[in-house]
Structure formats: structure tokens, C-alpha cells
Amino acid sequence: MSKAKSDAVREPLVDKNMAGSKPDQPWMVYLSTFVAVCGSFAFGSCAGYSSPAQAAIRNDLSLTIAEFSLFGSLLTFGAMIGAITSGPIADLVGRKGAMRVSSAFCVVGWLAIFFAKGVVPLDLGRLATGYGMGAFSYVVPIFIAEIAPKTFRGALTTLNQILICTGVSVSFIIGTLVTWRVLALIGIIPCAASFLGLFFIPESPRWLAKMGRDTEFEAALRKLRGKKADISQEAAEIQDYIETLERLPKAKMLDLFQRRYIRSVLIAFGLMVFQQFGGINGICFYTSSIFEQAGFPTRLGMIIYAVLQVVITALNAPIVDRAGRKPLLLVSATGLVIGCLIAAVSFYLKVHDMAPEAVPVLAVVGIMVYIGSFSAGMGAMPWVVMSEIFPINIKGVAGGMATLVNWFGAWAVSYTFNFLMSWSSYGTFLIYAAINALAIVFVIAIVPETKGKTLEQIQAVVNP
């Protein structure tokens, strides 16, 4: 397969104008989506592991703050590698093959953590689960987009974010009830479900068509749409769209800095930077430590956090196309500033021995306002805007770089959070408040509203 073909296939091969046949039996689409979002749940389980496990792991293995910070941040370092390499893997062995690789890495990583007696196997296990998480972050949304009919593609793709949040929340809750080794074993369950479920669902028809496997392409599309569905029009449109992709010039990294693309790059990369450097992964990874330092019951705080995150993410999904991207980003970033300031006040009072009875209440309120606000917009909207903002011929290389920027930010924040908290607990939250305040200015000044616009209309506004 030529390199041009390889780069083109990394995009979700979805024609926005597709008017495919109405499926008579969508159950295979539902089953395939369920299997795929088991990977999203596994993603969340990995991300949510370190917070409830922090104190026990440090005590059992005698880890310093620096050693545990490295353990926590290796997840995002592994995810960077996974996000970069999953594209070529998905090209070579298919979307299902890439998800199998992701599942296998996660299983091996969880087993290494379970059996760890020291720092090295613990860190290697965390790195492996991070790799699987990063690969899932790339391939799951692409697979869902490529198998779902246009009529309910949006509803199915929102399940990816919802299941990630659910995975984090379930880890938080279960982690308050079991040991850190048992929690690692439980993390294997969604990975195993994904790995085994992949044997019972079809490969992405669009990937099969791209690879020239026409017989398998039609069989997979028929399986997804139902035996009685007329797939001729959809099959023809898929083939036409793939031919259009192949005629586009192959994008290079330097093309991103051309004048006509620079605003798209600035918008997408800027949103990724503000999403991560606003503090989300530090707060998510070390929630239990924050509550403990503030004097709030750790178990209760994490359960409230977990439930709130899932509820707000689920409620937010249906209103994205009604409220618009920009208003949600602005409301979300404003809430993040308020949450950080409340938490900063809490720790300022604690450091100066003022109003001790108010410290734990303000801390939990600040963190809940923060996570609720993040789930309402800044969590999902940067990814939505990124999928809309790039011209199709640079979407592969630009999307890959934006994802790399995102994971780098996640690593930097998760690694530095404990050190910042040791330096100044309230100062840490003031820094995050300042960054989120800059995000408000950035969204107002730079980010366009994309609600209700075709991709061509968006390009006319962003890259005139």
C-alpha cells in the first residue's frame, strides 16, 4: 500500500453527505459500538486508577512523592506513544486489529502492576496500560464513526466520552472498597471484554474498501445494515469518497505552518493546551490526595466526584448541537476558574490556620465545581472542534499532532502536580485559575462557532 494511501486511511472514512440506507436491524451496529466502547471504559479505568490507589501503593512499596509522580505520569507518556503509533497499526491490521493490540497492552500492564514488588515492574505496567489507553483514544472514535449510519452516528460517538468518564468514576468508587492490587485485576475486565468481543463483530467496511478487499467490504456492510437493507447506494458513496481521498495531495508536517492553515492549527492546538494545562489530569489523578490534605473524607469525596462527572457528561451530550461549541467552552472555562479559586481559598485558609471548619467544605465545593465545569464543555469540545476545524487533506497529520500536544500536556501536568502542591497548595490552584482565565480570552478572540455549519462553511470562515 502506498504511503499516500496509508495517510488517507487514518481518517474516519466517512462521507458527510452520505445518505445511506436505513438499517432494518441495527443490532450489529449496537453490538460493535458496545465492544468498541469497552475500550473507552478501559481508558477511563487506567486514568482513574492512581487516585484511589495512591496512599496504599506509596505505603506498601515505600514510594517517595517523586517516584509516585513518575508512576502516575508514565500513563500519559505511554499514551503519547500509543496515540502516535496506533495510526500506522490501524492502517496495517485494521481497526479491530488495533483495538486487539490496545487490549493486549492493557492486560499485560495491569498484570505487571498486580504482581509488582518494586518500582520498576510498577512503572513498566503503568507505561503499558498508558500505551493501550493512547491507542484506544485514537481508534475507538474512528471505528464507531466508520461503522455507524448517519442517522444515529452522533448519538453513538458520544458514548466514547461517556464511557471514559464512567471508567474513571467506577475506578474511583471501587478503589475505595478494594486494595490497589485487586483494583488492577478489575481493570483487566473491560480489556478482556473488548478483546473477546472483537471476534464477534465485523471490521470497518470503510477500511476494508480502502484496502481493496471488496468482497469483505460488502459482507461487513451487509452485516452492519441488516440482510434486507439495500446497501448499494451507501457502498457506492463509500467507494466514491475513498477515491476522492486518494486524489488529495499528501500532507506533510511543514504544511501545517502554511498561512492558509495556521488559524486552524492555532485553534486546535490552543484548545488542547488549555484543556490540559488548566490542571485536569493533576486533579483527576490525585483527587484523593487533595481531599486528604483538605481534611475532607476521601471516600465520600471521590464517590461524589465520580457520580457528578458521569451525570454532567451524559446530560451535556445532547445539547452540544443546540447550545453551540463556543458558549459551552466559555461557560466551562468560567466554571473552571471559579472552581480553582474556591479550592485556592480553601488551601489558603488551611495554610494560615484560618476558619478550619470551612476548609474541607470549600475544597470539595471547589473540586466539584471544577470537574462539573470541565465535563460540561472543556472535556469534549476541544475534540469536537478539532474534528471540524481542519481541511480534510491535512486532518490526518494535524489531528495526530494535536493529539500529541494533548497527551504531552497531560503528562506534564500529572508529573508536576504533586511537586506544585508541595511548593504551595493554594498557589497551584491559582496557577490553574490563571491558565483557565486565559482560555476564556482565547475562546472569545480566536475560536469560531461551528454549530450548524457544513465543513465547507467552516473552512470558508477559518481559512478564507
Side-chain angles (χ1 to χ4, degrees), residues 102-386:
S102 303
S103 298
F105 267 91
C106 285
V107 169
V108 170
W110 284 126
L111 288 174
I113 292 171
F114 175 77
F115 288 110
K117 301 295 184 184
V119 174
V120 174
L122 191 73
D123 286 349
L124 289 176
R126 186 69 164 171
L127 188 67
T129 57
Y131 181 91
M133 185 176 90
F136 274 132
S137 75
Y138 175 90
V139 74
V140 169
I142 284 183
F143 178 74
I144 294 173
E146 291 182 354
I147 65 167
K150 180 180 179 180
T151 48
F152 49 95
R153 181 179 298 132
L156 293 179
T157 50
T158 59
L159 289 175
N160 178 52
Q161 185 68 25
I162 292 172
L163 265 292
I164 290 173
C165 292
T166 304
V168 172
S169 297
V170 170
S171 286
F172 276 17
I173 294 171
I174 294 179
T176 65
L177 305 173
V178 301
T179 68
W180 62 273
R181 293 189 190 274
V182 173
L183 188 60
L185 279 184
I186 292 172
I188 295 174
I189 295 173
C191 309
S194 176
F195 189 90
L196 296 174
L198 289 167
F199 290 101
F200 301 98
I201 63 173
E203 178 59 88
S204 162
R206 289 166 174 83
W207 180 79
L208 292 169
K210 181 65 184 174
M211 300 298 289
R213 293 157 63 171
D214 294 340
T215 302
E216 294 172 74
F217 154 63
E218 292 187 9
L221 189 60
R222 172 76 64 193
K223 195 171 184 180
L224 288 164
R225 300 295 179 258
K227 293 181 180 180
K228 297 179 181 178
D230 180 6
I231 63 170
S232 57
Q233 182 181 353
E234 183 174 5
E237 289 173 344
I238 290 173
Q239 296 283 18
D240 289 344
Y241 185 61
I242 288 171
E243 290 174 10
T244 300
L245 280 179
E246 291 179 334
R247 287 195 296 268
L248 292 171
K250 175 184 170 297
K252 300 181 179 66
M253 189 69 65
L254 292 178
D255 292 340
L256 300 184
F257 302 99
Q258 292 180 12
R259 188 172 179 274
R260 58 180 167 164
Y261 300 139
I262 198 67
R263 191 177 175 209
S264 292
V265 171
L266 178 63
I267 291 166
F269 284 30
L271 286 176
M272 294 303 179
V273 167
F274 285 117
Q275 182 197 61
Q276 291 300 330
F277 284 91
I280 182 59
N281 272 294
I283 292 170
C284 176
F285 281 18
Y286 305 113
T287 307
S288 63
S289 175
I290 295 171
F291 289 144
E292 184 178 346
Q293 290 183 50
F296 190 86
T298 301
R299 181 174 297 183
L300 176 61
M302 292 181 65
I303 291 173
I304 296 172
Y305 179 112
V307 173
L308 182 68
Q309 180 176 235
V310 173
V311 169
I312 292 183
T313 302
L315 291 176
N316 186 59
I319 68 170
V320 171
D321 286 317
R322 291 185 226 168
R325 284 60 159 153
K326 194 165 184 173
L328 285 175
L329 283 168
L330 289 173
V331 170
S332 177
T334 302
L336 291 173
V337 173
I338 293 170
C340 286
L341 289 176
I342 294 172
V345 169
S346 169
F347 282 104
Y348 181 87
L349 294 176
K350 178 179 173 63
V351 168
H352 292 88
D353 294 320
M354 300 165 61
E357 69 283 352
V359 169
V361 175
L362 287 174
V364 74
V365 169
I367 296 303
M368 295 312 157
V369 169
Y370 181 96
I371 192 59
S373 300
F374 185 85
S375 300
M378 195 57 82
M381 287 307 99
W383 298 102
V384 173
V385 172
M386 186 192 77

